[in-house]
Amino acid sequence: MGFLEELKALFPPGRVLTREAELAPYESDALTAYRKRPLAVVLPERKAEVVEAVRLCHRHGVPFVARGSGTSLSGGSLPVEGGLVIALNRMNRILRLDPRARIAVVEPGVVNLEVSRAAAPYGLYYAPDPSSQPISTIGGNVAFNSGGAHCLKYGMTAGHVLALEVVTPEGEVVRLGGESLEGVGPDLHGFFVGTEGLLGVALEITLRLLPKPEAYHTLLAAYGSLEAAGNAVSQVIRSGLLPGAMEIMDRLAIEAAEAAVKAGYPQAEALLIVELEGPKEEVEEEAKLLAQVIQESGATEVRIAQSEAERQAIWKGRKAAFSAVGRLSPDYIVQDGVVPRSRLGEALKEIGRLSQEYGLRVANVFHAGDGNLHPLVLYDGKKPGELERAEELAGEILKLCVRLGGSLTGEHGIGVEKKGYMPEMFATEDLLAMERVKEALDPKGLANRGKVLPGYGQGPHPGEVYA
C-alpha cells in the first residue's frame, strides 16, 4: 500500500486533502512571496492521529510540516513540495486550567488570545502577546518563540512554557519539563521552543499564567524624527524604568493604522508608546519619572490614556499596523532583526538611507524596548525586478543588525527567508553543530525540511535535507 492510501486509511473521509483546490490555501503562509504545493494535508483532531501521521511519514521517508494558522512571516510553515502538511487547528482544546497552580494545559491549535480569555475570570492571563494573537496558535508560538509588545518585561514564549509533550520525527512521544516553576535537570522543553518544527511536533503544552496587573499607565509621545524616538527608548531604560512595553511606529505605519482602525494618532514622523503596569502605587510613582524622561527626550506631543477605552485605542492602532500597511502597497516584506537598544537611533537612520538608495519605501513599526525591529519593505510584485530589489534591501537590513551587534531574528524565526543569512551571524563550526543536533534527532531530515539551516555539512542526504 502506498503512502497516500495508508494516510487515507488513518483518517476519516474529509480529513485528508489532496485535490488542487483543497491544497491551495496551504501553499503559503504569511510570507506570500513563497509558495509550494504539498502532496497532501491532514486535519487531525486528536494527538494520537498526529503521532500516527508522523510515524507513517517516517516509514515512507515523506517530509512533513506542522502548521497552525499560517501566520509565520519567515516561510516557517511553508510546505515541503511533495510532503505532508499536518494542520493542527482542530486540536484547539484547553485541556486543563488550574488557577491555584497558575497553569494551563493546551493543545497546539489553541489560539493565543483564547488562553487569556479562559484565564480572565480567575484574574490571570497569558503574557506573550504577538500582534497575531487573535489568530496565531500556541503551537506556532512555541515553534518560533514568539514575543510581542510586552516581551520587554515578561520575556518570550520560552519563559512561559513549563512542559511539552512532543512527537519526534521518528515517531517517539516524549515529555519534556514539568508543572513546577523550578525545573530539574536539563532545560529540554526550553531547548525545543524556537526550533521551528525541525525537531518534532508539540502535542500538548503546559503554560505559565500570571496575575493580571492591577494598574496600567499608557503614554503616547510624538517625535519629529524616527531617530529621536529611538533615542528616547534608550533614555527611558537608562532612567531605571522597566515598562511592560515600548513600541515605535513611523509616519508610514501611523498613516496606515489611522486609515485602517482610526486610532486617533497625532500626525508625526514617529510615535513612541510606553506602557507601565503593576501595583497601583508603584505605577503612579513610575509615571512621574516617565513624564520627566519623555519631556527631556524632545517629544513634540504627549498623550496619556485616561480610560481603558483610550488605552485599547492606542494598542489597536499598533496591533493593526502590519496588516494596515497593505493599504499603502500591494506587497511588502517584513523583517525582524534585532539591534542593541543603545544603537536604535543609528539603525533607524541607516534604514532610512538604504530606503532611499534602493528607491523603496520602508515602514517601521517595532518592539523598541528590546531592539526588535520590524521594517516593512514595500514593493509591487507585478513590477519586474521589484521583488528581488525588495529582498536585497531586506537582506541589507539584516546584515546591518548583525553588524551593530544584534541578531537576524527576534521572534519571526529564520524559516526559508533568512536561512541564507545564517553565515552572517554564525561561524561554520556553529552551523555544523546545529546540523549534528538535527541529524541526531531526525536522521532522515523529514521535519520541516529545508528551513533554518543553510546547507552546511549536508550529512547523509546531500542536496535533499537542506534543499
Side-chain angles (χ1 to χ4, degrees):
M1 191 183 291
F3 174 76
L4 277 179
E5 288 74 18
E6 286 192 53
L7 189 66
K8 289 176 180 177
L10 286 175
F11 289 84
R15 292 210 274 125
V16 178
L17 312 180
T18 57
R19 292 200 298 264
E20 186 174 336
E22 294 174 327
L23 298 178
Y26 297 91
E27 288 181 357
S28 181
D29 55 18
L31 187 68
T32 54
Y34 294 80
R35 292 187 177 275
K36 294 284 185 181
R37 175 67 57 84
L39 174 67
V41 176
V42 291
L43 307 173
E45 295 181 355
R46 298 178 294 108
K47 60 185 178 184
E49 293 178 332
V50 179
V51 174
E52 287 305 313
V54 170
R55 288 174 178 170
L56 183 65
C57 285
H58 185 257
R59 286 199 301 275
H60 287 266
V62 174
F64 63 88
V65 176
R67 176 188 170 110
S69 297
T71 56
S72 168
L73 289 160
S74 62
S77 51
L78 186 73
V80 178
E81 196 155 1
L84 180 68
V85 172
I86 303 174
L88 300 168
N89 299 75
R90 296 191 181 192
M91 294 179 61
N92 58 2
R93 292 172 287 270
I94 297 177
L95 302 173
R96 181 160 66 95
L97 199 154
D98 186 338
R100 292 186 66 184
R102 294 181 181 172
I103 62 170
V105 181
V106 306
E107 291 182 323
V110 170
V111 169
N112 176 298
L113 194 57
E114 292 305 316
V115 180
S116 290
R117 285 176 176 158
Y122 307 101
L124 302 172
Y125 79 115
Y126 178 62
D129 61 337
S131 295
S132 59
Q133 70 177 153
I135 50 173
S136 66
T137 62
I138 295 296
N141 293 173
V142 166
F144 292 93
N145 194 22
S146 300
H150 290 80
C151 66
L152 169 62
K153 187 169 185 176
Y154 298 106
M156 313 289 279
T157 296
H160 300 268
V161 173
L162 298 176
L164 293 162
E165 185 175 20
V166 172
V167 57
T168 71
E170 296 185 284
E172 180 185 1
V173 178
V174 296
R175 288 199 67 87
L176 310 175
E179 295 186 358
S180 171
L181 294 178
E182 298 296 329
V184 177
D187 181 16
L188 294 177
H189 61 291
F191 174 72
F192 184 88
V193 175
T195 53
E196 301 193 28
L198 294 184
L199 305 182
V201 182
L203 304 169
E204 193 175 286
I205 305 149
T206 302
L207 303 173
R208 178 169 67 114
L209 303 176
L210 297 179
K212 292 175 72 174
E214 181 185 2
Y216 293 97
H217 178 84
T218 308
L219 177 147
L220 180 71
Y223 290 88
S225 73
L226 192 55
E227 188 177 2
N231 291 333
V233 172
S234 297
Q235 292 175 253
V236 171
I237 297 297
R238 275 201 305 270
S239 74
L241 290 170
L242 182 60
M246 278 200 290
E247 301 285 303
I248 285 179
M249 300 170 65
D250 73 359
R251 180 175 52 79
L252 277 175
I254 295 164
E255 289 175 5
E258 274 300 300
V261 299
K262 296 179 174 54
Y265 289 153
Q267 290 187 342
E269 288 301 308
L271 292 179
L272 171 63
I273 301 170
V274 185
E275 182 161 274
L276 305 172
E277 56 185 60
K280 185 178 179 182
E281 294 80 5
E282 180 181 303
V283 170
E284 288 174 351
E285 287 303 310
E286 289 183 343
K288 296 174 185 175
L289 176 56
L290 177 62
Q292 180 183 335
V293 172
I294 294 298
Q295 183 179 5
E296 293 172 356
S297 71
T300 58
E301 184 177 345
V302 179
R303 297 180 185 176
I304 295 170
Q306 300 298 324
S307 65
E308 180 61 18
E310 290 184 12
R311 173 179 174 259
Q312 291 299 335
I314 289 173
W315 282 114
K316 187 177 183 181
R318 165 58 187 91
K319 296 274 186 177
F322 274 14
S323 57
V325 167
R327 292 170 175 261
L328 304 180
S329 174
D331 302 289
Y332 59 86
I333 295 173
V334 184
Q335 286 296 359
D336 80 315
V338 181
V339 296
R341 281 189 299 256
S342 60
R343 307 193 76 173
L344 259 179
E346 183 181 350
L348 295 170
K349 187 176 182 180
E350 179 63 10
I351 289 171
R353 188 194 69 77
L354 287 168
S355 172
Q356 290 187 331
E357 179 183 326
Y358 280 83
L360 294 170
R361 294 180 298 167
V362 177
N364 289 281
V365 49
F366 53 93
H367 309 316
D370 61 352
N372 188 187
L373 304 177
H374 288 323
L376 297 101
V377 181
L378 312 185
Y379 72 97
D380 185 347
K382 294 178 181 177
K383 295 181 179 179
E386 198 153 297
L387 168 60
E388 290 74 18
R389 202 159 84 250
E391 288 183 320
E392 189 177 337
L393 170 54
E396 288 300 316
I397 292 173
L398 290 178
K399 292 177 185 177
L400 168 67
C401 291
V402 174
R403 199 162 60 243
L404 292 177
S407 71
L408 295 173
T409 179
E411 58 178 341
H412 294 174
I414 299 297
V416 294
E417 181 198 32
K418 304 187 189 80
K419 71 174 185 175
Y421 297 97
M422 288 285 274
E424 298 284 337
M425 185 171 173
F426 296 102
T428 302
E429 293 77 10
D430 298 325
L431 294 167
L432 286 170
M434 295 179 201
E435 288 197 349
R436 285 196 294 272
V437 172
K438 167 71 170 169
E439 288 172 9
L441 297 173
D442 184 11
K444 294 184 178 182
L446 301 179
N448 219 2
R449 177 181 291 179
K451 314 292 173 60
V452 183
L453 298 170
Y456 280 70
Q458 292 172 358
H461 310 282
E464 182 181 17
V465 174
Y466 306 117

